[in-house]
Structures are given as structure tokens and as C-alpha cells.
Amino acid sequence: MLPEKAKETIARHGMLKGEEKVLVAVSGGVDSVVLLEVLCLLAPEFSLELVIAHLDHGLRGREAKEDARFVTSLGKAKGLTVIREQIDVARVSEQERLSLEEAGHRVRRRFFEETSQKVGATRIALGHTLNDRAETLLFNLIRGAGPTGLVGIRPVSLPYIRPLIDTSREEVLSFAR
């Protein structure tokens, strides 16, 4: 079962000590929604207080607004605080002369880290899976990275934790169904 697998990943990588506040990044996609559900199931065991963070990149119009509404209603149904923000990533990309992807990455990191400080969270949980890890490794290989650069997504890079990093996309989808 997925919650047990996530619990093993959390223990193996020392992601949580217990009695912590965790900011959960929820985009509205299946990976992040499953991450939230799994952490809600594990919260009593780890004495976790969960807070949801949702960022609209200002790139997808109506669809992004629907995601924000969905995440807000999900948080409300679970009795969790939801922190939402919209940032025009295209404008940041232009102003800082970055690719759209790099600007999005920087904006997300800033938003998550500033939000975690505001709410007093010690960890930021992201919904990366085993498939994301493999894709990153493959991308680094194609880019010509040497042995030290052949690194996938790390399970822990504090304050970030990835409880689903040992879980395949298929397992995530199966749990969601």
C-alpha cells in the first residue's frame, strides 16, 4: 500500500522527526494530490501539522484558476490552511533574462521557502516520484554530465522532502483511483 511505502521512504531517508509543521506543495495534479492524501494519512503517526501551498504561474489562464479552486476546496475539506499565490512567471523570465523553465523553478523555490518561513514549517514536501527521478537522471546523461553530475532528484535536500520518490507513477495513479 502506498502510505506504507511512503512511510518506509520517510524513515529510510530521515525526512521527518515527528511533531513538525510541513508545507505541502499541491499543484492540483495527481502526484501532489496523492502526496497530500498520503501525508494526511501519516500525519497522526508523525504528529504532523500540514499546510498547503499552491502557486499559479500565470501561464495557464482559466485552467490554472480551476486548479487553484480545486486545491482550496481540497484543503477546506481536510481542515487545512491553504496559502495561494499567483506570480507572472513570463514577466519574471523576461526581467531576469531566464528561460521560462528556470524562472518557474526560481519562483517556486522562493514561494515555497518564503511561505514555509511565514507559517513556521520545517519541511517542504514535494510530489516527485521515481519516474521524475529517472527522467532527471536521463536528462543529465543526455546533457553530457559526468559521473558527479549523473544525479537524479535527491529524496532529501532540506528543507525539501520527497516522500513519493521511491514510488512509481503507476503506483500513484493506482492509489488515486
Side-chain angles (χ1 to χ4, degrees), residues 1 6 19 24 27 31 38 42-43 61 68 94 97-98 103 111 129 136 145 149 153 171:
M1 184 126 162
E19 298 185 20
V24 186
S27 66
D31 295 346
V38 166
L42 296 176
E94 190 176 302
R97 295 184 179 165
L98 300 168
F111 169 66
T129 65
T136 300
I153 299 171
E171 289 171 298

Side-chain angles (χ1 to χ4, degrees), residues 58-77:
L59 298 171
R60 294 178 25 249
R62 194 170 126 219
E63 189 178 336
K65 290 186 185 345
E66 288 172 13
D67 285 345
R69 278 193 290 276
F70 170 70
V71 171
T72 300
S73 67
L74 185 62
K76 185 176 182 181

Side-chain angles (χ1 to χ4, degrees), residues 113-167:
E113 290 170 13
E114 288 173 3
T115 302
S116 73
Q117 285 182 343
K118 286 178 192 170
V119 301
T122 57
R123 299 286 186 264
I124 302 168
L126 303 175
H128 293 116
T129 65
L130 188 59
N131 296 58
D132 298 317
R133 192 179 204 183
E135 286 171 11
T136 300
L137 183 65
L138 189 58
F139 179 72
N140 289 344
L141 179 65
I142 290 169
R143 274 193 353 209
T148 57
L150 284 180
V151 179
I153 299 171
R154 288 184 166 81
V156 177
S157 49
L158 293 177
Y160 297 95
I161 61 171
R162 297 167 178 87
L164 302 180
I165 199 70
D166 294 328
T167 305

Side-chain angles (χ1 to χ4, degrees), residues 26-40:
V26 182
S27 66
V30 68
D31 295 346
S32 65
V33 171
V34 166
L35 170 67
L36 177 64
E37 185 62 30
V38 166
L39 289 176
C40 284

